[in-house]
């Protein structure tokens, strides 16, 4: 990417669903993090459950509620990471409604703005967001989610999801408590929730990543209680 004359800067973007491990920014190797979020949370939870390749007619209420809990915990982990690593949150809805503005925000966040522009985006510049593809993807998510929610009795489901979110926020004092609740806690033996926990837990084998905080080691092992596991020595 060309910046301010002849200067060039190389940025490597690493898409992942895994949260960075704990360790005050010394364990994940990221210089900046962009969080792509979908709102409302119940839409994101439904999409996450369906992404597990479950057929819509097989999804149960408990699957959606488990996914909701896990998403709240995912946001909790990223909020903690934001204390020491720069983090930008982009919502899928904003990306669809105003893709150029959101691309501008990302470029600004990554220090990739051309001609040192800081206050507005330029629609004449080259852009890299396929608006039609984004809209099609969002429509697909909404249609599948609507079918599922209608089958699961939409009104009662909304109340149940809101109740789960309230419970998670109360347990963590609005996501401020450390460590965040385990992705594995309270999901019992459900296949869908286990797969989602694997997707969201830290990936301790990723490049430039190390897990020496006990909680992260337990997450990779599916151990919600994490009793007896000690922090590893830092390299």
């Amino acid at each position: 990417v060309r910046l301010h004359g002849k200067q060039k800067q190389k940025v490597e973007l690493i898409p992942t669903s895994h949260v960075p491990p704990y360790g005050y920014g010394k364990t994940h190797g990221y210089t900046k993090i962009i969080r792509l979020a979908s709102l409302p949370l119940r839409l994101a939870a439904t999409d996450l459950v369906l992404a597990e390749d479950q057929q819509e007619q097989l999804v149960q209420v408990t699957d959606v509620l488990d996914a909701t809990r896990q998403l709240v915990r995912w946001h909790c982990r990223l909020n903690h990471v934001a204390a020491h690593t720069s983090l930008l949150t982009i919502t899928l809805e904003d990306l669809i409604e105003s893709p150029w503005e959101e691309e501008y925000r990302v470029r600004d966040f990554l220090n990739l703005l051309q001609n040192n522009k800081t206050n507005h985006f330029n629609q004449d510049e080259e852009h890299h967001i396929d608006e039609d593809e984004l809209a099609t993807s969002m429509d697909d998510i909404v249609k599948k989610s609507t079918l599922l929610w209608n089958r699961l009795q939409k009104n009662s489901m909304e109340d149940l999801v809101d109740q789960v979110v309230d419970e998670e926020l109360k347990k963590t004092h609005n996501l401020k408590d450390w460590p965040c609740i385990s992705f594995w806690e309270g999901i019992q033996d459900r296949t869908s929730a286990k797969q989602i926990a694997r997707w969201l837990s830290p990936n301790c084998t990723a490049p430039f990543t190390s897990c020496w905080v006990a909680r992260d080691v337990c997450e990779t092992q599916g151990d919600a209680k994490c009793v007896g596991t000690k922090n590893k020595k830092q390299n």
Side-chain angles (χ1 to χ4, degrees), residues 100-101 104 113-114 116-123 125:
W100 292 344
E101 289 92 331
Y104 178 88
L113 289 180
Q114 299 179 19
N116 199 27
K117 296 173 183 175
T118 58
N119 296 319
H120 64 281
F121 70 95
N122 185 351
Q123 295 190 17
E125 289 184 357

Side-chain angles (χ1 to χ4, degrees), residues 110-175:
L110 299 178
N111 300 320
L112 296 178
L113 289 180
Q114 299 179 19
N115 301 323
N116 199 27
K117 296 173 183 175
T118 58
N119 296 319
H120 64 281
F121 70 95
N122 185 351
Q123 295 190 17
D124 295 328
E125 289 184 357
E126 180 182 3
H127 298 282
H128 307 281
I129 295 178
D130 189 327
E131 298 173 66
D132 293 334
E133 183 177 351
L134 270 175
T136 300
S137 298
M138 190 62 178
D139 286 343
D140 185 55
I141 293 172
V142 171
K143 287 178 182 178
K144 290 180 179 179
S145 299
T146 300
L147 287 173
L148 175 59
W149 277 70
N150 287 338
R151 180 173 65 80
L152 297 178
Q153 298 180 339
K154 180 179 178 181
N155 292 333
S156 60
M157 274 298 300
E158 289 180 353
D159 291 339
L160 289 172
V161 168
D162 290 343
Q163 182 180 339
V164 165
V165 173
D166 288 342
E167 290 174 354
E168 292 288 318
L169 293 178
K170 288 178 181 178
K171 287 180 181 178
T172 60
H173 294 89
N174 291 326
L175 309 184

Side-chain angles (χ1 to χ4, degrees), residues 179-221:
C180 298
I181 302 173
S182 169
F183 292 116
W184 301 89
E185 183 174 321
I187 66 172
Q188 299 178 16
D189 196 31
R190 288 187 279 275
T191 302
S192 172
K194 286 184 175 180
Q195 181 57 60
I196 291 172
R198 295 188 190 99
W199 286 339
L200 304 184
S201 295
N203 180 5
C204 298
T205 61
F208 310 110
T209 301
S210 60
C211 294
W212 50 264
V213 175
R215 167 56 68 187
D216 291 328
V217 176
C218 292
E219 289 293 272
T220 62
Q221 298 172 348

Side-chain angles (χ1 to χ4, degrees), residues 23-68:
Y24 303 101
K26 301 177 181 178
T27 55
H28 56 65
Y30 301 134
T31 54
K32 295 187 176 184
I33 296 173
I34 300 174
R35 166 170 50 186
L36 181 59
S38 181
L39 298 172
L41 194 62
R42 57 179 178 270
L43 177 63
T46 305
D47 182 47
L48 189 56
V49 170
L50 294 174
E52 206 271 320
D53 289 331
Q54 287 202 77
Q55 296 182 7
E56 183 272 325
Q57 62 268 28
L58 298 180
V59 176
Q60 300 300 316
V61 172
T62 50
D63 296 320
V64 178
L65 298 183
D66 278 344
T68 301

